[in-house]
Amino acid sequence: MSESNPQIVASAEIRARIDTTKPHSARFWNYFVGGKDNYEVDREIGDHIKEIFPGLVDVAVTSRQFLGRAVRYLAVEQGIRQFLDIGTGLPTADNTHEVAQRVAPDSRIVYVDNDPIVLTHANALLTSTPEGRTAYLDADLYDPEAVLETAAGTLDFDRPIALIILNTLGHVADHGQARALVQRLMAGLPSGSYLVISDSTATSEGMIAASDAYNASGAVPYYVRGVEEIGAFFDGLELVEPGVAQVTRWRPDGEASDVAVDAYGAVGRKS
């Protein structure tokens, strides 16, 4: 009798961890950006929230666009060739490695997540140009030192790295803890590295109501914060113009967008 294939066994174990009875943030967001990697329970709460606050769809779409602009800015204008993307989520169009390697084929990207639904789709992320490299880590934001240690297998920590954390820190209930996690991650990166963050914000009654509805659904809660709290993640860093801004208004392509969304982001440089 032949031995079991360890990859098949691991895949089965990961699938067994997926709970399809409750909404999941990665699947929920995937539904909002037009993806197909979601379940009925995710679409139900998604449709319910669309009735409460249709603007959350704009937040999902424009946050993704912010990611693309930030990565292009770093790769093209600042010469960054290494990206550490924590809280990867489900792959859609224009993932970090696709954007970076499109303009800089030698870019190296490490994705980090520990959600089982994301793990099952990791192979979709593990593509790369011949000149670059893409890796995926099953690791936890709550253990920054382990994340950095494992990422060092792909990234060169003697050269600048862009740390990307999008729509993820809202899952950390305590703002002080969230700040400390970011600080520990940035402390392990060399001078000249960058921090990229965006998150939904408590800047309208509609967004607050949408957050409350989502948190009441049984999903892992996501807490929207004030703009000043988003800015606090960049303490000690040099903010890239225009600083902390609505994601639609952070270095927009062409004329500034007049779409107001409840999501703010920024890019900061470590001296």
Side-chain angles (χ1 to χ4, degrees):
M1 182 176 175
S2 62
E3 295 183 0
S4 299
N5 184 320
Q7 291 183 330
I8 294 176
V9 171
S11 179
E13 291 175 349
I14 291 169
R15 287 196 300 271
R17 288 163 51 193
I18 299 174
D19 184 355
T20 61
T21 66
K22 297 178 181 178
H24 185 283
S25 61
R27 301 190 312 242
F28 169 81
W29 213 243
N30 177 264
Y31 174 54
F32 269 18
V33 297
K36 298 180 179 179
D37 297 314
N38 46 73
Y39 296 100
E40 181 63 28
V41 66
D42 308 300
R43 294 187 288 272
E44 286 179 355
I45 185 62
D47 290 339
H48 176 55
I49 287 178
K50 284 180 185 178
E51 294 178 359
I52 298 173
F53 182 53
L56 191 57
V57 176
D58 291 330
V59 167
V61 172
T62 58
S63 294
R64 194 73 181 178
Q65 294 168 345
F66 165 79
L67 169 65
R69 296 197 305 278
V71 170
R72 283 194 301 273
Y73 164 78
L74 292 171
V76 175
E77 299 189 36
Q78 300 304 322
I80 298 298
R81 295 294 181 267
Q82 303 190 106
F83 299 84
L84 178 58
D85 187 336
I86 298 180
T88 304
L90 290 164
T92 55
D94 285 341
N95 300 291
T96 298
H97 74 282
E98 293 171 320
V99 176
Q101 293 182 345
R102 191 177 299 141
V103 296
D106 59 334
S107 296
R108 292 189 171 201
I109 296 88
V110 171
Y111 292 104
V112 178
D113 213 309
N114 70 334
D115 282 328
I117 186 65
V118 177
L119 286 170
T120 62
H121 292 79
N123 285 337
L125 292 173
L126 293 178
T127 59
S128 177
T129 57
E131 305 93 329
R133 187 174 176 188
T134 303
Y136 184 89
L137 306 182
D138 179 8
D140 195 335
L141 169 66
Y142 290 92
D143 192 354
E145 290 73 26
V147 169
L148 296 173
E149 180 180 359
T150 310
T154 300
L155 305 179
D156 179 359
F157 277 67
D158 290 327
R159 298 169 52 216
I161 296 168
L163 172 63
I164 300 173
I165 314 176
L166 264 58
N167 306 302
T168 297
L169 291 168
H171 287 301
V172 183
D174 181 76
H175 182 246
Q177 182 183 18
R179 285 185 64 194
L181 291 171
V182 172
Q183 290 167 353
R184 287 162 64 186
L185 286 163
M186 289 303 296
L189 301 184
S191 297
S193 292
Y194 285 83
L195 173 65
V196 182
I197 287 177
S198 76
D199 262 307
S200 301
T201 49
T203 42
S204 76
E205 292 183 1
M207 174 56 85
I208 295 170
S211 176
D212 290 344
Y214 180 79
N215 293 346
S217 71
V220 176
Y222 186 98
Y223 302 95
V224 291
R225 295 191 162 103
V227 177
E228 71 285 353
E229 292 178 298
I230 302 299
F233 291 128
F234 294 88
D235 286 352
L237 303 179
E238 179 186 351
L239 282 171
V240 172
E241 290 293 334
V244 181
Q246 288 184 341
V247 293
T248 51
R249 294 168 180 169
W250 191 90
R251 303 179 76 90
D253 297 324
E255 295 183 2
S257 172
D258 59 359
V259 176
V261 294
D262 294 298
Y264 279 69
V267 175
R269 183 182 184 275
K270 179 177 178 179
S271 300

